[in-house]
Amino acid sequence: MPRLYMETFGCQMNVLDSELVLSQLRAHGYQQVNDRDEADVVLYNTCSVREHAEQKVWSRLGELRASKRGNPNLIIGVIGCMAEREGKSIFQRYPHVDILCGPGELDKLPSMVHNAVLTSSSIANRKSQIANRRQVALMGATTRRSSTLSAAEDHLELLDLSRSVSPGDDISQAYVRITRGCNKFCTYCVVPYTRGPEVHRPPQNIIDEVKMLTDHGAREVTLLGQTVNHYAYQHPDGHTTTFADLLYQVHQAIPHLPRLRFVTSFPRDFTNEALQAMRDCERICRYLHVPAQSASDRILKLMNRGYTSQAYRDFIDRAKDLMPDISIASDFIVGFPTETEEDHKSTLDLIRYCGFKNSFIFKYSPRPGTVAIDRFEDDVDEDTKRRRNNEMLAVQQQVSTEHNSRLIGQTVEVMVEGESKLISRQKRSNNVELGWDRTIAVAEIVQTQLVGRTRGDQVVCFDGDASLKGQILRVKITRAQNLTLFGQLTALAIAPPLAV
Ligand code: 5AD
Ligand code: SF4
């Protein structure tokens, strides 16, 4: 049984892709291992959004050069956005790579891995034939031509439909794709090129998948799309299922799912109907991740975001009017070309005005193939980017602390995700032996620190037993930091996990 090691970089979409690919490969007889040195096949599911994410993969590939020398039968695959973006140039830089597979071709990956493994054992170490085992599946530029599009869609749909749950899989929190690709073409972003055009999945397939996962123990399902709220499925008879329709339908069709979420939203596409669906459906979490990127109209225009700062504020007002308890997170790019102090200050004002739960702040990274790298010079120097980044973080921290402090004394609903890594690590370094560390005999059972999230996506830590993972509990908040709330368990299981 070939052993497979896989590492995933990047967004939730990649996490889901890896899960689907792993489940297919397991069905083909591959055994997943956690130690790269034990593997016969090493796969990296990669991200190209920022240069830093790509550098990590380059360095992993560099490390594998020696492993391949020691074991010429080792199969190395680069899959996901970086494979699509870099293409065959990866072979030139790292000739020991065997497989390249873009995110739009992942349905082909199991047979590609299989072919590479078979060829590898038959040609052994003959250098001249190494190229024979190379397997490549990339969309290339052709995918934006629609004649090939529908065929590609059907294949990819099969990958999502093939999803199965094996005993022992932890699916208490699960992702379900509703849309692939992106049509927005923000000038800084590689995603429309690596993931291709926007394609919406049929609503029935989505409902069936959410139901199957819930029947097998999922307590929280997150619907995924690059611009998730732009979902609109056109049926063969011409009628359209909108994002609001889909939310109502999923909510109604799966009454035993305690939590339904969705990410990532695009500000301009939010209809009142979709906000009303959130308000009306009690099990839809009142959480929005809706990146603003900047609050300067000039920069927003250069980014091709298609909205003004005021339109963004109006949207936030609309959401808060309908749902005063809504929790909102944003993304920002700091140091976009030509960004001035004034532009930057307007972004700080927006963070204060919207009172984001948190913001993901990224320094602008020019990406090959995008419009921005061709048209605009990366003229904000690194020191300025870093300073503005820190200023934004400081304002966001202040806002988050205020936001979180308001919860002190309240009882919130928390879904337990597991043990708090921070606390567990501290306990380990203090040489306390914990029950979950099976390699060590248990000297003393310590009350573990658990971590979970509220419906608004706030992180909550509290003492409790590790067996509570996956359950939805009531926790009284006693203390607040900018990123974390601390509390005490007040009641056991509002919704116990189902037996798989
Ligand atoms: N540089 C920096 N950040 C970027 N993002 C996307 N492309 C870039 C880039 N070239 C950020 C955006 C997006 C998030 C996923 O990554 O903020 O919302
Ligand atoms: Fe990239 Fe813009 Fe599409 Fe988001 S909406 S994936 S930032 S192009």
Side-chain angles (χ1 to χ4, degrees), residues 61-172:
L61 292 175
E63 288 159 19
L64 283 177
R65 213 191 307 256
S67 317
K68 184 87 160 202
R69 236 178 271 128
N71 170 16
N73 285 340
L74 178 68
I75 300 296
I76 301 169
V78 178
I79 68 176
C81 288
M82 204 173 151
E84 188 63 51
R85 204 189 66 69
E86 286 278 341
K88 291 187 185 169
S89 69
I90 292 181
F91 290 143
Q92 271 142 32
R93 191 160 164 188
Y94 289 111
H96 56 290
V97 171
D98 305 288
I99 295 171
L100 293 181
C101 184
E105 308 287 324
L106 288 174
D107 56 297
K108 304 190 180 76
L109 188 68
S111 59
M112 292 167 74
V113 172
H114 202 57
N115 286 344
V117 169
L118 286 180
T119 325
S120 156
S121 42
S122 67
I123 63 173
N125 194 13
R126 266 174 288 147
K127 238 190 176 161
S128 59
Q129 294 191 27
I130 291 285
N132 289 353
R133 73 177 181 208
R134 284 206 176 134
Q135 306 281 320
V136 181
L138 304 169
M139 300 186 301
T142 52
T143 38
R144 288 218 167 248
R145 286 189 224 128
S146 54
S147 59
T148 51
L149 190 62
S150 57
E153 281 166 29
D154 291 346
H155 284 291
L156 266 183
E157 186 57 27
L158 290 178
L159 182 67
D160 289 78
L161 288 176
S162 72
R163 189 169 195 174
S164 62
V165 179
S166 311
D169 285 353
D170 176 12
I171 56 152
S172 54

Side-chain angles (χ1 to χ4, degrees), residues 182-192 226-227 266 293 305:
C182 181
N183 286 352
K184 299 288 187 221
F185 286 97
C186 301
T187 54
Y188 50 80
C189 184
V190 292
V191 170
Q226 239 71 44
T227 53
F266 192 77
Q293 310 297 2
R305 290 291 287 179

